[in-house]
Amino acid sequence: MTDVATPTSDPQRLLDALDEHQREVAEALLGPVCVLAGAGTGKTRAITHRIAYGVATGAYDPRRVMALTFTTRAAGELLGRLRGLGADGVAARTFHSAALRQLHYFWPTVVGGLPPRVLDAKGPLLGQAASTLKLPLDTAALRDAAAEIEWRKVNRMTPQQYARAAQSRPMPSKLSVDAMVDLHVAYERIKDERKQIDFEDVLLATAGMIETEPMVAEQVRAQYRFFVVDEYQDVSPLQHDLLTLWLGGRRELCVVGDASQTIYSFAGASSDYLVRFGHEYPDATVVKLEENYRSTSAIVTLANRLMRGRPGALTLRAASEGAASGATPNVEKYVDDAAEAAGIAQSIARRIADGTPPESIAVLYRINTQSIQLENALRRFDVPVQSRADSRFFDQPEVRQAIMLLRGASVSISDEPLFKSVSDVLRGLGWRQDPPEGGGAERARWQSMTALLGLAEEAPAGTTLSDFVRELQRRQQQQHEPTRQAVTLSTLHAAKGLEWDVVHIVGLSEGLVPISFAQGLEAIDEERRLFYVGLTRARRVLELSWAVRGMGSRAERQPSRFLDEVRAPSPRTQR
């Protein structure tokens, strides 16, 4: 296998599509490269064009390029963009999927037999471990204990090392540190007895094989030479160590990230690897992307104000000024949560009536329980709703059934227009052109089938039903979900990587943003970055709100400390 590929497209065309700084990224093909990319600055565009430019010029053999990210959806997006740019053959995977492939490949040779099964979730085994120790832990406590196990493993700690580090960490369900360590040990014992591994073990076992088996290290490093890592601010110590092992002393690494969007420190992520990349690679090329193409200048101003003076913070510049500057985001004060939910629902219903598509609107909040009142209020105004906490699109029963029937129909249908074929199958499942009058599950089912029909409508001319089914299967594998005609309800964490024309951020009071259990400067800074992520999801309109009292409570809240830094000059009061 050679290191040089045959050029497959016009390199100059790829560069012409970029701004000055994005082009600088694309042309920095060799050696360590660090791209500090602010929100909405086109980082995915820059790195996909960089890879495509490397392939087009022959600098990269696409089979030796690995693009790494943190979600299957993001990996699917990278693959789709690279394919559109003529860079077929490049691997785009999550850290876990890349490691799992290697583990499955090398396990029979290195260990022997079939590789162990990966646990879907830690909860059941943790519950059994807690039972053997007579620890009365409910579902929430088991979930928190699972998070502690994940934190220990991504920091490459033994239970004994964790026992020392845990002295300064809050324990779930008021367990003692000793009890938590015993729970970790019991969990590992049961897991080993059943010859099972969890997701962190996938990375640990792969790293262990490369560290101890020269044959494995040689083959892995022969397969991939050029690495690109997106969202590098979210890398954990374990992922950083595995990446270092994959590189094997080579320097063909490009990392992309934004320290201001580090919101998973509680899970072991560290922006230090991004911020200190220049110390790890003193001769690295460092490029800053600060031209924001997403938001109005008014929104960008608030985001900059929130992060001013913070370590690693970039200063965004709105690409569009003048008429696109937008109104200053408003801060609404409500008497209670019910009034806040009703006010937001009424505002959204009015926007939709004025022509704003519901899928271009989102309501963001800190914790999932806030969604219940919001969803009920929106449904009272007949506003279609989808939640990021819902089951994945392709896991929904009606979607799975539709794909199965479409696959069957593709065997016998070959000459009908695609849209007709798909609509006939969906009508057989009860779909009708007009939405149902009711809400809830009936409306959600209709929205799912309408989204499938929308994909058929958007398919390129000449797409057959068989082609369409294969595309659905590809999307299913990569979690590439279609857009549904509904307002999105999402936590701030789940909104990362997404954007909408209109964004409402609700519940901006002390105890929610920042959350009550965020203690200490580091935890508060993480809450600040989470709020920043929320602000920068908005393209045109940003609405901020908080309520004085919670549901059924007489205690008064205080507005979030962060609102003092971004508050509009004359907030209105809703009673």
Side-chain angles (χ1 to χ4, degrees):
M1 183 182 297
T2 62
D3 291 344
V4 180
T6 303
T8 56
S9 61
D10 177 14
Q12 188 59 44
R13 176 183 59 83
L14 295 166
L15 296 180
D16 289 344
L18 306 177
D19 70 22
E20 175 189 355
H21 298 291
Q22 293 169 348
R23 179 170 180 151
E24 187 178 352
V25 173
E27 291 182 314
L29 294 176
L30 301 176
V33 179
C34 179
V35 183
L36 302 174
T41 58
K43 68 178 178 66
T44 305
R45 181 182 188 84
I47 61 174
T48 52
H49 278 70
R50 177 183 184 270
I51 293 170
Y53 182 65
V55 171
T57 58
Y60 300 161
D61 182 328
R63 297 166 299 175
R64 303 196 70 183
V65 180
M66 172 69 81
L68 293 161
T69 187
F70 288 84
T71 67
T72 303
R73 181 184 62 82
E77 181 184 357
L78 284 175
L79 276 178
R81 292 205 192 190
L82 289 168
R83 187 183 298 113
L85 295 172
D88 289 328
V90 172
R93 301 188 183 113
T94 65
F95 274 89
H96 282 91
S97 65
L100 188 60
R101 280 173 176 255
Q102 293 174 11
L103 194 65
H104 280 172
Y105 182 82
F106 290 111
W107 187 278
T109 302
V110 175
V111 181
L114 295 174
R117 185 174 70 84
V118 181
L119 289 170
D120 292 328
K122 296 181 177 67
L125 256 66
L126 264 176
Q128 293 175 37
S131 179
T132 64
L133 298 172
K134 295 182 170 51
L135 296 175
L137 300 183
D138 59 17
T139 301
L142 289 173
R143 186 168 56 244
D144 290 342
E148 283 298 292
I149 289 176
E150 291 160 11
W151 183 85
R152 169 177 64 82
K153 289 188 172 186
V154 300
N155 283 285
R156 305 199 77 173
M157 292 181 181
T158 65
Q160 293 70 34
Q161 292 169 325
Y162 169 78
R164 293 190 290 272
Q167 299 296 330
S168 59
R169 292 178 64 82
M171 292 292 100
S173 195
K174 298 182 180 178
L175 290 177
S176 68
V177 171
D178 287 343
M180 177 58 69
V181 171
D182 289 342
L183 182 61
H184 285 216
V185 172
Y187 164 81
E188 296 295 340
R189 185 183 66 252
I190 295 173
K191 181 167 58 65
D192 291 345
E193 289 171 352
R194 297 187 178 187
K195 295 182 170 56
Q196 294 175 321
I197 58 175
D198 56 31
F199 279 104
E200 292 70 43
D201 291 332
V202 171
L203 302 185
L204 286 165
T206 303
M209 283 186 177
I210 298 173
E211 284 175 326
T212 60
E213 298 290 336
M215 175 272 294
V216 174
E218 182 180 354
Q219 289 190 48
V220 167
R221 292 164 188 164
Q223 178 65 47
Y224 297 110
R225 176 178 175 184
F226 303 97
F227 287 84
V228 177
V229 186
D230 195 11
E231 304 289 1
Y232 198 62
Q233 77 279 350
D234 289 335
V235 164
S236 69
L238 174 55
Q239 289 164 331
H240 177 266
D241 289 352
L242 181 58
L243 177 63
T244 301
L245 289 166
W246 281 335
L247 284 164
R250 294 171 303 186
R251 299 158 51 78
E252 302 305 338
L253 172 64
C254 173
V255 303
V256 189
D258 179 8
S260 295
Q261 296 189 67
T262 307
I263 59 173
Y264 293 106
S265 295
F266 64 89
S270 174
S271 62
D272 287 351
Y273 299 115
L274 175 69
V275 174
R276 296 183 58 80
F277 190 83
H279 294 272
E280 189 173 0
Y281 298 96
D283 60 339
T285 299
V286 179
V287 183
K288 290 185 178 181
L289 301 182
E290 297 178 301
E291 195 83 0
N292 179 285
Y293 293 95
R294 175 186 299 157
S295 306
T296 65
S297 61
I299 295 171
V300 167
T301 297
L302 260 67
N304 284 337
R305 193 180 299 161
L306 182 67
M307 298 308 295
R308 183 178 295 129
R310 299 287 153 176
L314 300 166
T315 302
L316 299 178
R317 299 182 300 274
S320 300
E321 299 293 342
S325 62
T328 300
N330 185 55
V331 178
E332 293 277 5
K333 174 184 175 182
Y334 293 89
V335 294
D336 57 27
D337 288 344
E340 183 178 26
I344 288 166
Q346 186 175 30
S347 173
I348 289 174
R350 191 183 307 119
R351 287 188 187 278
I352 293 173
D354 290 341
T356 301
E359 62 269 23
S360 68
I361 303 173
V363 184
L364 310 182
Y365 38 82
R366 181 62 177 85
I367 55 177
N368 273 314
T369 54
Q370 292 174 267
S371 69
I372 299 171
Q373 204 161 39
L374 290 162
E375 183 170 354
N376 290 338
L378 287 163
R379 293 198 187 282
R380 285 197 296 272
F381 282 90
D382 199 31
V383 173
V385 174
Q386 64 173 335
S387 172
R388 293 286 295 172
D390 291 343
S391 62
R392 293 170 178 167
F393 177 81
F394 287 104
D395 290 341
Q396 295 174 12
E398 63 269 20
V399 174
R400 296 170 70 91
Q401 185 181 18
I403 293 175
M404 180 183 69
L405 293 175
L406 288 168
R407 187 187 303 120
S410 68
V411 176
S412 56
I413 298 176
S414 58
D415 55 354
E416 282 187 353
L418 176 64
F419 186 84
K420 181 180 184 305
S421 300
V422 176
S423 62
D424 285 348
V425 169
L426 295 180
R427 286 180 189 278
L429 289 172
W431 179 86
R432 296 294 180 265
Q433 185 171 357
D434 295 325
E437 294 183 2
E442 185 182 8
R443 176 63 74 95
R445 175 183 170 86
W446 180 87
Q447 289 170 355
S448 296
M449 289 194 280
T450 302
L452 282 176
L453 196 59
L455 290 177
E457 194 170 19
E458 296 167 3
T463 301
T464 66
L465 186 55
S466 295
D467 294 335
F468 182 65
V469 169
R470 282 193 292 271
E471 172 63 12
L472 290 178
Q473 291 171 330
R474 183 191 67 80
R475 282 174 167 266
Q476 186 175 24
Q477 183 180 22
Q478 298 175 357
Q479 297 178 26
H480 184 188
E481 301 189 354
T483 300
R484 285 176 268 185
Q485 296 176 358
V487 171
T488 297
L489 298 180
S490 173
T491 64
L492 289 163
H493 278 100
K496 189 168 181 290
L498 303 174
E499 58 186 77
W500 297 269
D501 284 343
V502 180
V503 170
H504 291 259
I505 306 181
V506 307
L508 291 172
S509 59
E510 290 289 308
L512 285 172
V513 182
I515 197 74
S516 57
F517 55 74
Q519 302 295 322
L521 294 178
E522 290 186 7
I524 295 298
D525 273 350
E526 181 112 336
E527 294 290 300
R528 175 188 294 273
R529 294 192 295 268
L530 187 59
F531 184 32
Y532 174 83
V533 166
L535 296 178
T536 54
R537 299 311 94 196
R539 297 190 192 106
R540 296 188 300 103
V541 177
L542 175 64
E543 298 284 353
L544 312 174
S545 62
W546 68 286
V548 176
R549 287 187 298 276
M551 186 169 58
S553 172
R554 295 185 177 182
E556 291 196 358
R557 299 170 175 146
Q558 296 301 313
S560 168
R561 68 193 72 182
F562 302 139
L563 286 179
D564 289 339
E565 302 174 38
V566 301
R567 185 185 297 275
S570 300
R572 299 193 299 275
T573 299
Q574 180 77 28
R575 297 188 181 276

